[in-house]
Structure formats: C-alpha cells, structure tokens
Amino acid sequence: MMDAEWYVYNYWNFDQECYNMLETIIQEADSGSKERLFQWLSDRLDHSNQELSQAISNLWNGSFDEPHYWERKLVISERLAEDSRMNGRSIIDGENEWAILHLQLLKQMGASTADLLSYARRFWDEPKIRSFMAVVESENQEFDKAEAILRESLVLDLASKVWLTRHHLMLKKIFHQSSQLDSYREELLILLKDFLPGDNTLIQELKTEVSEAEWRSLRRDMIERVPDYGLQASLYCEEEMWEELSNVVFRTNDIHLLRKYDLILIDRYQEQVLEKYSELLREMARTTSNRGYYREIAEFISYVSRLPGGWPIAGELLELFQRTYRNRRAMMDELRRVIQD
C-alpha cells in the first residue's frame, strides 16, 4: 500500500505506466485486497489537488464495477457532489463530475427517469447535468421532453459558445431521430452559420437534405462564414466555384495557397496567377535574409518558369533580383542554380 500511496502523491511523476500498474494491481487483487484498495482510494477521493483527485477518482470509478460496490459508491458520490455544490467548486474541469457519476450510478441501478430528474434538479445550474437528462429523455423516446431541456439550456448557457454548440448538436440529433425534418434542417443551418462554419460533416448532411438548387442558393453564404481561408478555398474548389476560389487565393497573399490551386486556376486566370506569383516573390525577396528562404524563392522562380506563360515573369524576377540584391551572396548562389537548370 505504501508503494501505491507514493505513486499517487507524486502525481507529477504519475505517468500512464504507473496508472496502468495500479489498475492492474486492482484487477488482479483477491477480494480482500481489492476491498482494502477500494477503501484506501475512497478515503482519498476529495484531495485538494485537482489532478490528483482526477487520477484517484478515475481509478475508483473505473476499477470497482461489481454490484456489491454500487451502494457505497452511491453514498460517497452523493456526499462529494453535495460538498462540491456547497463549497461553490467542482471537482474536474469546472463541472461537478461527482453529480454526474451519481446520476450514472442511479441509472445503472435502474432508477426511474423521475428519480434521476429529481436528483438532477439539485444541480440544474450545471449544463452537463441538463445535457445528461436530455440524453436520458431522448433514449426513452421522450423527444419533446429532451427538446424542452435543451431549449431551456440555450437560455441558461447563453454565455458559453461551447455549450450552445453542444445543445444545438443534440437538438439536431433528436430532430433527426424523431423525423422532424424541418427542425433538423433548421438546426443544421444554425450550426453551419453560427457555431461550426465549414464543418464538412454538417455540410454533407445538409447537402443530402436539400435539393441541388437549394444547396446552390445556400452554399456561398455557408462558405463565406468560414474563418479559415485555407478551408474556404478547399470548399470553393470542391464546389467548383472558380471565381470565389480565385478571389480567396489572390486576396490572401499566401504563396503556398497559390501553389496549391494554381494549376486549377491558370486556365481561367493565367495573368492573375502569374502576377500574384510576381508580387509575392518580390515581397519575399524584400523581407528575407536567410539562405533557406532564398532557396525557396529560387525554387518558386524555377517552378513559375514552367507554368503556361510563366517564363517571361520568371526571367523578369531573375533579372530584378540579380540587379537589386547583387550583394546578397547566398541569394545569388541560389539564383545561379535556377539559371543553370
């Protein structure tokens, strides 16, 4: 036991190997030793160090599944959940995990939904508790009750975008399960517009629920809301929206993004592609003084020379850089390699 105690109280050195070792000891212990281990862990559950408390509670919760432990775990989890609520603190990640564990134990022991809800109401200010009960109601096919809990949660958790996102995802799920297709589509649109713009799974879901004409009327707004221009470009490319793709690529001043899509765009926008390469390479040359970047510039010039209509632009850049930066020996070395090739 002293060895186990040393492992736990040195949590900063308590890596996964040590955790697995303790877990194995518990699993392979005889009934008497396992009982003593249960009691030893139970006495240390409410440790003031949050990381230690989580490690101990994970072992305690995950390693004693036999029914004869359930009643004692129920009593302990109820006490710790109440202590957490009264002290104004939660055990793990800002949430009262003991209240959740208590609900899970009650459910495992066959408690009625009414009894689960009665206990959950004591912690109703916590979004995870309400989310748990929404799942329970949904599992019972009580979709109206699940929706009511989630609608209430949208108001109570207005300040948390993370929880609002989770609630809308759950609403989407229950509307799909209950075949409320209009509400299901509405939740998809809310999620894509306000919470998870550009999420490919949601986009594919929406595309299967609307006509092609309706999707075409929606997709521009959906993609414009995506904050990441790389993802925007990917979505425009997938949708074959070439003008929108070109606008993103030419606006972002990212030479690697330009390289990714230049062969797709060059047939339609040859002049703009080559001009953008010229602009970005001039800026790179002006602002860098590192051989690695010089090599990259030289490689890009070589690449541009092989694009349709690209040799004149590449030649202009070589001449300009050799004249302007002739005192940068490393750059001249890299440019000579392009000329030799």
Side-chain angles (χ1 to χ4, degrees):
M1 188 64 68
M2 288 302 294
D3 286 345
E5 187 166 0
W6 184 89
Y7 281 129
V8 173
Y9 283 99
N10 285 274
Y11 184 77
W12 43 91
N13 294 319
F14 185 70
D15 60 13
Q16 192 62 44
E17 183 179 352
C18 296
Y19 184 96
N20 292 341
M21 186 184 302
L22 279 171
E23 193 171 41
T24 300
I25 290 171
I26 294 170
Q27 290 171 352
E28 296 182 357
D30 58 40
S31 59
S33 298
K34 189 166 185 177
E35 175 63 30
R36 289 191 293 274
L37 285 162
F38 176 79
Q39 190 58 53
W40 181 82
L41 288 168
S42 298
D43 292 341
R44 290 158 175 80
L45 284 168
D46 195 22
H47 197 279
S48 59
N49 182 293
Q50 182 172 315
E51 290 182 331
L52 280 170
S53 182
Q54 183 169 2
I56 296 169
S57 65
N58 286 345
L59 279 169
W60 183 85
N61 185 37
S63 302
F64 301 91
D65 295 330
E66 296 85 348
H68 64 271
Y69 289 113
W70 291 357
E71 286 290 348
R72 281 184 290 168
K73 290 174 79 172
L74 203 63
V75 171
I76 293 169
S77 61
E78 183 173 24
R79 173 178 61 80
L80 291 173
E82 190 63 24
D83 286 349
S84 298
R85 186 175 69 85
M86 296 299 292
N87 293 332
R89 66 179 179 83
S90 296
I91 300 297
I92 300 167
D93 295 335
E95 296 167 352
N96 195 325
E97 293 291 339
W98 291 112
I100 291 292
L101 174 59
H102 190 76
L103 281 169
Q104 290 169 340
L105 286 166
L106 285 172
K107 185 169 181 275
Q108 186 176 354
M109 295 171 70
S112 67
T113 301
D115 287 340
L116 292 174
L117 185 59
S118 176
Y119 180 79
R121 288 287 180 186
R122 293 159 59 180
F123 303 89
W124 206 244
D125 58 323
E126 301 201 27
K128 195 168 184 178
I129 297 291
R130 285 180 264 109
S131 180
F132 179 92
M133 289 310 305
V135 171
V136 169
E137 297 288 10
S138 177
E139 289 173 347
N140 294 336
Q141 305 293 300
E142 297 285 356
F143 297 116
D144 289 345
K145 293 180 180 179
E147 180 184 354
I149 292 172
L150 292 167
R151 293 292 183 197
E152 181 182 2
S153 294
L154 291 176
V155 176
L156 294 175
D157 301 327
L158 192 60
S160 172
K161 188 171 183 178
V162 170
W163 274 109
L164 291 178
T165 302
R166 292 176 183 176
H167 298 327
H168 280 292
L169 284 168
M170 185 64 184
L171 281 168
K172 176 183 74 71
K173 182 178 180 179
I174 66 172
F175 288 143
H176 189 263
Q177 290 175 331
S178 58
S179 299
Q180 300 180 61
L181 297 184
D182 289 342
S183 296
Y184 169 61
R185 294 189 193 103
E186 182 181 349
E187 287 300 322
L188 278 170
L189 288 170
I190 289 171
L191 284 161
L192 282 168
K193 287 181 178 179
D194 300 327
F195 296 99
L196 296 169
D199 185 282
N200 193 56
T201 300
L202 294 177
I203 287 174
Q204 296 308 316
E205 278 190 65
L206 182 60
K207 288 173 74 171
T208 63
E209 293 298 319
V210 299
S211 66
E212 184 176 349
E214 189 176 0
W215 169 243
R216 286 182 176 275
S217 71
L218 291 169
R219 62 183 184 176
R220 187 192 305 272
D221 182 49
M222 296 289 102
I223 298 173
E224 284 179 351
R225 292 172 183 267
V226 176
D228 180 85
Y229 59 77
L231 181 55
Q232 265 194 357
S234 175
L235 292 169
Y236 283 135
C237 185
E238 183 178 334
E239 293 294 321
E240 299 183 357
M241 299 170 70
W242 308 127
E243 181 178 354
E244 291 80 1
L245 174 61
S246 69
N247 289 338
V248 171
V249 170
F250 297 149
R251 184 177 66 240
T252 53
N253 295 324
D254 184 337
I255 198 166
H256 299 287
L257 190 69
L258 178 61
R259 173 67 183 85
K260 184 174 181 179
Y261 294 104
D262 57 7
L263 295 180
I264 295 172
L265 295 173
I266 200 160
D267 286 344
R268 298 175 179 83
Y269 306 98
Q270 177 177 305
E271 183 178 349
Q272 293 97 315
V273 167
L274 296 174
E275 285 180 355
K276 194 65 182 179
Y277 268 121
S278 178
E279 173 192 333
L280 294 176
L281 288 169
R282 288 168 189 253
E283 182 63 16
M284 285 179 67
R286 187 182 69 81
T287 58
T288 59
S289 57
N290 176 285
R291 181 177 284 274
Y293 283 111
Y294 294 156
R295 183 175 298 116
E296 186 177 21
I297 289 169
E299 289 170 352
F300 267 115
I301 292 175
S302 177
Y303 173 74
V304 169
S305 72
R306 299 192 296 274
L307 290 174
W311 173 245
I313 296 294
E316 286 179 14
L317 290 171
L318 280 172
E319 182 180 346
L320 173 65
F321 294 167
Q322 286 177 316
R323 182 176 67 252
T324 306
Y325 306 112
R326 59 184 178 274
N327 293 327
R328 297 186 186 178
R329 181 174 300 175
M331 179 186 277
M332 295 302 103
D333 289 344
E334 297 300 330
L335 292 178
R336 272 193 291 273
R337 297 184 188 189
V338 176
I339 296 170
Q340 291 169 359
D341 291 344

